[in-house]
Amino acid sequence: MENNTEMENTLVLGAGELGMAVLRSLAPRLQTTQTPLSVLVTPQSLVSPTPMQLVRQRELDATGVQLLPFDLAGRSNADLIALLGQFHTVINCTGFVAGAGTQTRLTQAAIAARVRRYFPWQFGVDYDVIGKGSGQPVFDEQYDVRGLLRSQTGTEWVIISTGMFTSFLFEPGTGLVDFDAGLVRGLGTWETRVTVTTPEDIGRLTTDILLQQPRIRNQVIYVASDTVSYGQLADIVEDVTGRPFERELLSREKLALQLAQRPDDVMLRYRTAFARGDGMWWDKAATYNAQNGIPTTDVRAWLAARQQAMP
């Protein structure tokens, strides 16, 4: 464990699904050393919280996490820099909630504020491998964020590559697994692979990486709950549900034609990007969690738990 002078004033940006997973893991660990932990939330969430926000706020209050209201979209860059400058460690879990350019702006502010350690919102795919011009503007911005961090020395950074959330495989909007229609769609080829991690695993692993000694700095760290091909995904769905599923392959050529017809379709952009394979997966055996013997929830276990929880 780092001493308090190294770890004091830690800020998590965002209390959504990922932010809460990080906070649930990190707060108990920091409480043992009385290290302050804060989370950035929207002012509106404190003035007029939704039922979910109210539940989360009570949970955070109970664990001693300070709620810090700040309007990312409405406040100036100078205000943002002044805010971040109060903290030694900043863990960014905001996503693109404030729109395109959010991650570039936050990274520039962290650097300008000379935050000691910055964990950018790179909880996704390998943007170094993908590069620019993937057809997914979000990916282009994330690639540029890495360039910003590597071009300076005042702020240490740690990038945690996680792949997509495991749940993303099964969300109706992605169209990969359609339980009602009994259909599984593959992207690219049936051998094309994808790495996925649950938010809970990300929260635990981010905490371990943050607190590891000697300190990890200026590195890309790979984690994974699981890495599967789309063919393996179809097999898992059939095994867990106990029923056959039709299989439909969306080749890169077919997706390119669809995207040419519907260039503004965000989900189609994601499908096209994930169909390429490269940068979307890594070997689980080479990940931080596997090398350190940290168990994670694979796709089969996640889906089995989901099926049991359904009425």
Side-chain angles (χ1 to χ4, degrees):
M1 167 68 73
E2 304 230 11
N3 60 42
N4 286 350
T5 59
E6 290 287 341
M7 289 302 302
E8 66 183 353
N9 295 333
T10 298
L11 174 66
V12 173
L13 303 180
E17 183 177 17
L18 181 58
M20 286 300 298
V22 171
L23 289 162
R24 285 173 181 137
S25 178
L26 183 57
R29 300 278 292 275
L30 294 188
Q31 273 186 329
T32 62
T33 56
Q34 298 183 330
T35 303
L37 177 60
S38 301
V39 59
L40 196 73
V41 297
T42 64
Q44 182 63 26
S45 70
L46 297 183
V47 174
S48 182
T50 65
M52 175 63 75
Q53 288 170 337
L54 189 59
V55 169
R56 288 176 174 175
Q57 288 167 15
R58 288 171 176 168
E59 179 183 351
L60 294 172
D61 285 339
T63 56
V65 177
Q66 179 183 356
L67 304 177
L68 183 60
F70 189 88
D71 182 2
L72 278 176
R75 298 289 290 274
S76 69
N77 287 339
D79 289 342
L80 179 58
I81 292 168
L83 173 77
L84 297 184
Q86 301 173 42
F87 296 91
H88 284 217
T89 302
V90 175
I91 306 169
N92 185 349
C93 299
T94 61
F96 283 85
V97 65
T102 299
Q103 296 311 317
T104 301
R105 181 185 179 219
L106 285 169
T107 302
Q108 290 171 334
I111 293 170
R114 298 191 68 82
V115 170
R116 177 172 292 182
R117 288 185 89 194
Y118 181 55
F119 288 65
W121 187 72
Q122 292 264 321
F123 300 96
V125 295
D126 191 337
Y127 304 107
D128 287 326
V129 172
I130 295 167
K132 298 192 71 171
S134 67
Q136 180 54 269
V138 169
F139 290 1
D140 288 352
E141 181 173 348
Q142 294 291 64
Y143 179 83
D144 289 338
V145 163
R146 295 190 178 201
L148 282 171
L149 292 169
R150 287 168 171 151
S151 68
Q152 56 80 50
T153 58
T155 295
E156 294 179 8
W157 52 269
V158 181
I159 287 170
I160 303 178
S161 289
T162 65
M164 71 167 74
F165 282 6
T166 304
S167 59
F168 197 70
L169 293 174
F170 304 99
E171 290 177 2
T174 68
L176 295 179
V177 180
D178 188 331
F179 290 100
D180 293 334
L183 176 65
V184 177
R185 294 183 175 93
L187 301 179
T189 71
W190 289 111
E191 291 73 38
T192 301
R193 286 179 277 185
V194 60
T195 289
V196 295
T197 312
T198 70
E200 294 76 16
D201 285 342
I202 296 174
R204 292 187 297 107
L205 293 169
T206 297
T207 298
D208 287 345
I209 291 165
L210 172 68
L211 300 180
Q212 179 170 304
Q213 285 294 315
R215 186 165 77 240
I216 295 173
R217 64 187 78 188
N218 303 334
Q219 293 184 47
V220 179
I221 304 297
Y222 295 89
V223 304
S225 290
D226 207 351
T227 294
V228 297
S229 69
Y230 291 103
Q232 289 172 327
L233 173 63
D235 291 340
I236 291 169
V237 169
E238 289 186 333
D239 289 346
V240 172
T241 62
R243 62 189 178 98
F245 274 68
E246 183 182 348
R247 304 185 186 202
E248 177 186 353
L249 181 64
L250 299 178
S251 68
R252 294 178 66 174
E253 294 75 17
K254 182 183 293 187
L255 288 166
L257 288 173
Q258 293 177 354
L259 189 60
Q261 297 170 348
R262 306 197 306 273
D264 296 327
D265 189 322
V266 174
M267 191 54 64
L268 187 52
R269 286 180 188 169
Y270 274 111
R271 285 185 182 180
T272 303
F274 277 93
R276 61 184 289 162
D278 295 343
M280 306 297 169
W281 70 275
W282 39 90
D283 187 352
K284 184 178 178 180
T287 61
Y288 176 89
N289 46 285
Q291 293 179 344
N292 287 278
I294 302 171
T296 54
T297 303
D298 62 21
V299 171
R300 182 181 297 274
W302 189 94
L303 182 58
R306 176 189 182 277
Q307 291 294 106
Q308 291 178 354
M310 292 180 65

